[in-house]
């Protein structure tokens, strides 16, 4: 037997207590289960629709002549020079933000001649590891940092 307040649709059910003092609202979502839309999907869909509508309105305002706008009873709108000024300002702000970001990175990076860029308190010098085993049974050497002189020899040595 079915419960008196259950329904098979998305509907709000109001049930009153016997005394009529309190009202409780419950929502029944039958049939959605594991296929519920995630909030990020909903926000993405609404954002994409909003972007398309805003772009359409902007392009219509920018390209439709003023007499046509007056004929469809639209009298209050910004001056047409803002159709070029706003995107120009936006692009200039984006370019300046990128330049500012790059400048901050250059200011926070230590110079390459500073030795702390190569060595710090966690640097390990290679130890003299002598193994008496031969072949495939040799253990892995302990972890250590390679010196800059070894790296330069490996990368730039023309003797090979």
């Amino acid at each position: 037997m079915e419960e008196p307040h259950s329904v098979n649709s998305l509907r709000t059910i109001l049930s009153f207590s016997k005394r009529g003092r309190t009202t409780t609202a419950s929502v029944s979502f039958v049939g959605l289960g594991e296929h519920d839309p995630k909030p990020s999907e909903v926000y993405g869909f609404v954002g994409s629709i909003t972007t398309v509508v805003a772009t359409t309105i902007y392009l219509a305002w920018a390209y439709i002549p003023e007499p046509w706008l007056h004929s469809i009873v639209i009298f209050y709108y910004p001056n047409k020079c803002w159709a070029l000024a706003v995107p120009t300002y936006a692009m200039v702000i984006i370019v300046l933000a990128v330049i500012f970001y790059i400048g901050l990175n250059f200011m926070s990076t230590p110079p390459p001649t500073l030795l702390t860029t190569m060595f710090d308190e966690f640097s390990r010098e290679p130890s003299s590891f002598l193994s008496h085993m031969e072949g495939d049974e040799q253990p892995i050497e302990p972890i250590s940092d390679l010196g800059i002189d070894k790296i330069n020899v490996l990368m730039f040595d023309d003797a090979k």
Side-chain angles (χ1 to χ4, degrees):
M1 179 179 238
E2 198 171 319
E3 192 175 329
H5 292 293
S6 68
V7 290
N8 290 330
S9 65
L10 298 174
R11 163 183 326 193
T12 303
I13 303 168
L14 296 175
S15 61
F16 298 95
S17 67
K18 292 180 181 179
R19 298 181 185 161
R21 293 180 191 165
T22 59
T23 303
T24 23
S26 64
V27 179
S28 174
F29 296 103
V30 178
L32 292 178
E34 64 189 47
H35 301 291
D36 291 341
K38 296 180 178 133
S40 60
E41 294 171 352
V42 174
Y43 293 147
F45 177 73
V46 171
S48 65
I49 297 298
T50 304
T51 302
V52 168
V53 169
T55 303
T56 304
I57 290 172
Y58 172 77
L59 292 175
W61 162 70
Y63 288 111
I64 292 178
E66 289 185 15
W68 288 15
L69 291 173
H70 292 294
S71 69
I72 57 174
V73 194
I74 297 177
F75 296 103
Y76 181 74
Y77 48 85
N79 195 351
K80 297 281 183 166
C81 72
W82 289 105
L84 291 176
V86 169
T88 304
Y89 287 149
M91 292 304 298
V92 168
I93 287 173
I94 290 171
V95 168
L96 289 178
V98 168
I99 291 171
F100 183 72
Y101 181 72
I102 291 171
L104 280 178
N105 281 331
F106 275 124
M107 287 174 47
S108 65
T109 304
T113 56
L114 196 61
L115 288 178
T116 57
T117 58
M118 292 183 271
F119 303 106
D120 60 359
E121 66 269 11
F122 301 108
S123 296
R124 293 184 184 178
E125 293 293 325
S127 61
S128 59
F129 181 73
L130 300 174
S131 174
H132 300 290
M133 299 180 190
E134 295 178 8
D136 293 337
E137 296 182 9
Q138 291 183 351
I140 299 173
E141 294 182 16
I143 191 167
S144 64
D145 294 327
L146 293 177
I148 193 73
D149 54 342
K150 287 185 181 179
I151 293 174
N152 284 337
V153 166
L154 290 173
M155 290 183 69
F156 304 114
D157 192 22
D158 292 332
K160 290 184 179 182

